[in-house]
Amino acid sequence: MKEEVGNIKFEEALEKLEHIVRRIEGGQLTLEETMKEFTKGIELYNYCLKVLNEAEGKIKMIVEKENGEYNEIDFTT
């Protein structure tokens, strides 16, 4: 799965993660299947988090004041 995670787009990884969550929440998997899906989900989550953190860093670099200071953006508003 790790090779697969590195070669997919963020949106695809997020879709796969959502699918895994639905499967686990469905309650139809065995314990072994659940653990396997959970492991894949964690890998996808970590990949998505990494991509989001990198994007945030790039945005912070782009938003720069004229005097050379960075202007932090509050993404919650």
Side-chain angles (χ1 to χ4, degrees):
M1 182 71 176
K2 285 189 180 186
E3 299 101 25
E4 182 182 332
V5 170
N7 296 325
I8 62 176
K9 294 182 179 182
F10 172 80
E11 294 80 7
E12 185 179 347
L14 191 56
E15 274 184 36
K16 287 183 177 193
L17 181 56
E18 290 170 346
H19 176 73
I20 288 171
V21 170
R22 285 192 301 274
R23 287 194 66 201
I24 291 173
E25 287 179 343
Q28 301 299 315
L29 302 176
T30 65
L31 178 58
E32 185 177 319
E33 292 169 330
T34 300
M35 295 303 296
K36 185 177 179 181
E37 290 296 295
F38 182 78
T39 300
K40 288 180 189 177
I42 292 296
E43 290 174 10
L44 288 165
Y45 167 79
N46 286 333
Y47 171 75
C48 289
L49 186 61
K50 178 183 172 219
V51 171
L52 288 172
N53 285 336
E54 288 173 359
E56 181 182 9
K58 289 177 184 177
I59 290 170
K60 285 182 180 179
M61 289 175 57
I62 292 170
V63 181
E64 186 176 348
K65 288 184 178 179
E66 289 181 24
N67 64 2
E69 294 181 19
Y70 292 103
N71 183 17
E72 293 246 355
I73 298 174
D74 185 0
F75 292 102
T76 60
T77 58

